């Protein structure tokens, strides 16, 4: 039913956050006895509310980000960066798959988690792990030294 909304408003969509007002005439009461305030699929709802332009912007953005992250992950030689990349990419894939079956990114905590994982993944995979940027209290290089580690920490963790 939600795809029909997108087909009826292909260039402008119905308008962002208008699903609960636009959806009732499109629903099939025999199949769906309830009136929903949101689609259970973030991608379909984006198409219905934003039309083809928003759907294309989202699809192209996801493809570019995925290409950059995967290419950077594949090219890394550092084992710890490779392992971190697996964690970041797995988390992003899980959130994106969940969005296909639920209104996952409409929940603020999930949206914040998604943006945080994307930011961390870009920082580690694309821009690299090159110490801190700018002046710090850890000397001119900005790197931590063994004197910064508390004495109670076992040597194998240092």
């Amino acid at each position: 039913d939600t795809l029909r909304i997108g087909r009826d408003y292909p260039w402008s969509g119905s308008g962002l956050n208008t699903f609960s007002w636009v959806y009732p005439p499109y629903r099939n009461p025999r199949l769906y006895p309830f009136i929903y305030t949101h689609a259970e699929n973030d991608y379909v709802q984006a198409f219905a509310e934003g039309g083809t332009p928003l759907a294309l912007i989202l699809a192209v953005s996801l493809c570019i980000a995925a290409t950059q992250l995967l290419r950077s992950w594949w090219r890394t030689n550092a084992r710890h960066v490779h392992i971190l990349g697996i964690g970041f990419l797995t988390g992003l894939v899980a959130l994106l798959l969940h969005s296909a079956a639920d209104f996952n990114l409409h929940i603020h905590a999930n949206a914040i988690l998604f943006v945080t994982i994307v930011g961390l993944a870009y920082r580690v995979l694309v821009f690299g792990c090159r110490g801190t940027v700018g002046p710090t209290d850890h000397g001119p290089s900005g790197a931590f030294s063994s004197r910064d580690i508390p004495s109670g920490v076992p040597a194998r963790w240092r």
Side-chain angles (χ1 to χ4, degrees), residues 14-153:
S14 63
L16 296 179
N17 206 22
T18 60
F19 184 84
S20 59
W21 291 286
V22 175
Y23 176 69
Y26 287 91
R27 78 180 176 91
N28 184 342
R30 289 181 296 159
L31 295 176
Y32 307 105
F34 307 107
I35 295 177
Y36 297 100
T37 59
H38 58 272
E40 292 294 326
N41 183 320
D42 279 339
Y43 309 114
V44 173
Q45 185 167 345
F47 173 62
E49 291 183 349
T52 304
L54 180 62
L56 284 175
I57 289 170
L58 290 175
V60 169
S61 298
L62 285 174
C63 287
I64 290 172
T67 302
Q68 287 179 336
L69 290 173
L70 286 170
R71 185 179 298 144
S72 298
W73 176 75
W74 188 257
R75 290 180 179 171
T76 187
N77 293 326
R79 185 171 187 259
H80 70 284
V81 173
H82 197 74
I83 292 170
L84 281 171
I86 290 171
F88 292 142
L89 295 172
T90 302
L92 291 174
V93 167
L95 285 167
L96 291 172
L97 285 176
H98 189 198
S99 293
D102 200 1
F103 60 106
N104 186 37
L105 295 178
H106 284 87
I107 299 170
H108 295 145
N110 292 344
I112 291 169
L113 177 64
F114 180 78
V115 170
T116 302
I117 293 174
V118 168
L120 288 170
Y122 261 89
R123 173 64 173 103
V124 170
L125 295 174
V126 177
F127 301 122
C129 298
R130 291 185 291 271
T132 58
V133 177
T136 65
D137 295 330
H138 302 287
S141 69
F144 286 93
S145 67
S146 60
R147 66 178 165 76
D148 297 316
I149 300 174
S151 60
V153 176

